[in-house]
Each structure stands twice: as structure tokens, then as C-alpha cells.
Amino acid sequence: MTDRPHAPHVSEAHEGAPWFEWAVAAVVVAAVAVAALGYTMAATAIMAVAAIVTGLLRLILRERSPWKVRSVAFDAFIGIGLGLGLLVTYLSILMLA
């Protein structure tokens, strides 16, 4: 007998919706295009809003959410925290100039 550790249950049925993940990817591509055009504040706002929206969706819809990475708490914390962190960092850089 082998004492192998029990592998975690991985199932695509428990993951997020591919259409929503592609939509988030499209928003990221759009933000990159906006930043390439020189509008860094707009690009940062687009990314921040996208992150906050995905975090709020996960928090509000819980298991029905189209955006799933890990647990509800982790996804909501990372999404909302990333969005707020992006905005605070961008604004603090503006205040230094």
C-alpha cells in the first residue's frame, strides 16, 4: 500500500463560466489598448472597476457567480482589494508629482 496524499477535487463544473472569463480578458485587453494610447488613468480605472465588479459579483452571487477562482472570501477579497489598491496606488503616484 502506498500512502499518497489525497488530491483535491478538481472539476470544471465547479469553475467559473468561460464566457465571463473571456469577457474579463477582453476588458483587460481594452485597458492595455487605452494605456498604449497614453490614457493611463482611464486604463487604471477600467482595470480597477473590472476587479471590483468581479469581486462583488462573487460576493453577492456566491456559488452562482460566473467568476470563480478559489473560495468566495478569497475571490471577493482579492478582487475588491486589487481594484481599490490600483486606485489608491495610482492616486498616490499623482500626488507625488
Side-chain angles (χ1 to χ4, degrees):
M1 266 198 209
T2 324
D3 289 331
R4 292 192 297 185
H6 178 45
H9 174 70
V10 177
S11 169
E12 284 150 6
H14 292 72
E15 292 179 1
W19 64 268
F20 190 80
E21 293 167 1
W22 281 107
V24 171
V27 169
V28 171
V29 169
V32 168
V34 170
L37 292 172
Y39 301 105
T40 55
M41 184 171 194
T44 304
I46 291 168
M47 290 293 295
V49 168
I52 292 169
V53 166
T54 58
L56 288 174
L57 275 175
R58 184 69 164 123
L59 186 61
I60 294 166
L61 297 178
R62 305 193 79 63
E63 292 306 316
R64 296 184 327 244
S65 172
W67 182 256
K68 294 179 188 175
V69 179
R70 299 273 181 204
S71 68
V72 172
F74 178 85
D75 292 347
F77 177 77
I78 293 298
I80 296 168
L82 173 66
L84 294 176
L86 281 172
L87 291 174
V88 168
T89 302
Y90 189 84
L91 293 175
S92 67
I93 291 169
L94 285 180
M95 290 177 25
L96 289 174

